[in-house]
Amino acid sequence: MRGAIRLGGAVVDGGVFIPPAKRAIGLLGQELGLWPHLTAAQHIAFARSGGRRLRRETGDIELLDRVGLYGHADAVPARMSGGEQQRLALARILACQPRLLLLDEPFANVDPVLSADLLSLLDDLQRRSACARIMVTHSLDDAIRGSDRIAILYQGTLIQNAPWPDVSRRPANEWVKKLRNLSSC
């Protein structure tokens, strides 16, 4: 099977090698991939510079503040909680100014208030930069709050793909109906 992945008309994969830093795709997986020897500010500076420098800039600290890591600029990942590490990983991705965010359980280790704040940050990014996002989550409420469309998978099969109000009004089957009833949104 052949093909290409295009983002805004530019090929990012398929027949031509594009270095990861040039693809404008941010990935936040369950394995955060933080560098243990770098401080939070160095993570941001390194990502923002495309891997060329570690020198801190004002915007780096502001980004840490926006994800709730005020005062953590000099902390290394081993000195942070799981939720703080997750926020650092998100800030590092946002520092790259991606055009597409791929998020796998992005709020799994943070409390509901911080989750809502981070979702607002992602919404702001999306409005300002036309950044699209694909979020995989087991939290129906996070999915509803964080998306224009919901793609519901059950046992590896796509059951329904539509905006949440449509899913809520016309669930595709009994399982989706039960899922709908569990939502607090």
Side-chain angles (χ1 to χ4, degrees):
M1 196 166 179
R2 292 183 170 208
I5 298 172
R6 296 179 184 274
L7 185 58
V11 174
V12 294
D13 187 35
V16 178
F17 176 75
I18 307 294
K22 303 255 186 222
R23 293 179 191 160
I25 297 174
L27 171 65
L28 178 58
Q30 292 184 25
E31 294 292 324
L32 302 176
L34 297 174
W35 301 300
H37 61 291
L38 297 184
T39 66
Q42 288 173 327
H43 273 86
I44 304 305
F46 194 69
R48 193 182 302 259
S49 71
R52 293 184 297 278
R53 64 176 167 71
L54 295 175
R55 190 179 70 246
R56 178 188 310 185
E57 294 181 9
T58 304
D60 302 341
I61 303 306
E62 290 171 5
L63 183 54
L64 289 172
D65 291 350
R66 286 199 69 195
V67 297
L69 291 176
Y70 176 80
H72 286 77
D74 295 319
V76 294
R79 299 284 182 214
M80 300 174 134
S81 70
E84 289 167 341
Q85 290 178 13
Q86 191 144 5
R87 287 180 273 160
L88 174 57
L90 179 60
R92 181 180 65 184
I93 290 165
L94 296 178
C96 298
Q97 298 179 327
R99 295 180 60 206
L100 173 63
L101 281 173
L102 303 174
L103 306 166
D104 184 5
E105 297 287 354
F107 310 125
N109 294 319
V110 296
D111 65 67
V113 172
L114 184 56
S115 173
D117 290 345
L118 293 175
L119 194 51
S120 292
L121 176 64
L122 290 173
D123 288 343
D124 183 50
L125 170 75
Q126 198 165 4
R127 278 189 299 278
R128 287 186 294 115
S129 65
C131 178
R133 71 177 171 240
I134 297 172
M135 181 170 63
V136 175
T137 181
H138 287 93
S139 167
L140 180 58
D141 290 340
D142 283 348
I144 293 167
R145 286 192 303 264
S147 63
D148 297 325
R149 297 182 69 82
I150 305 275
I152 299 173
L153 300 171
Y154 180 68
Q155 296 180 344
T157 301
L158 180 64
I159 302 296
Q160 195 162 0
N161 179 5
W164 178 250
D166 293 348
V167 172
S168 185
R169 281 191 301 273
R170 292 181 297 282
N173 62 19
E174 285 301 312
W175 189 83
V176 176
K177 190 181 287 186
K178 287 179 186 177
L179 186 66
R180 175 197 64 191
N181 293 338
L182 295 173
S183 168
S184 64
C185 293

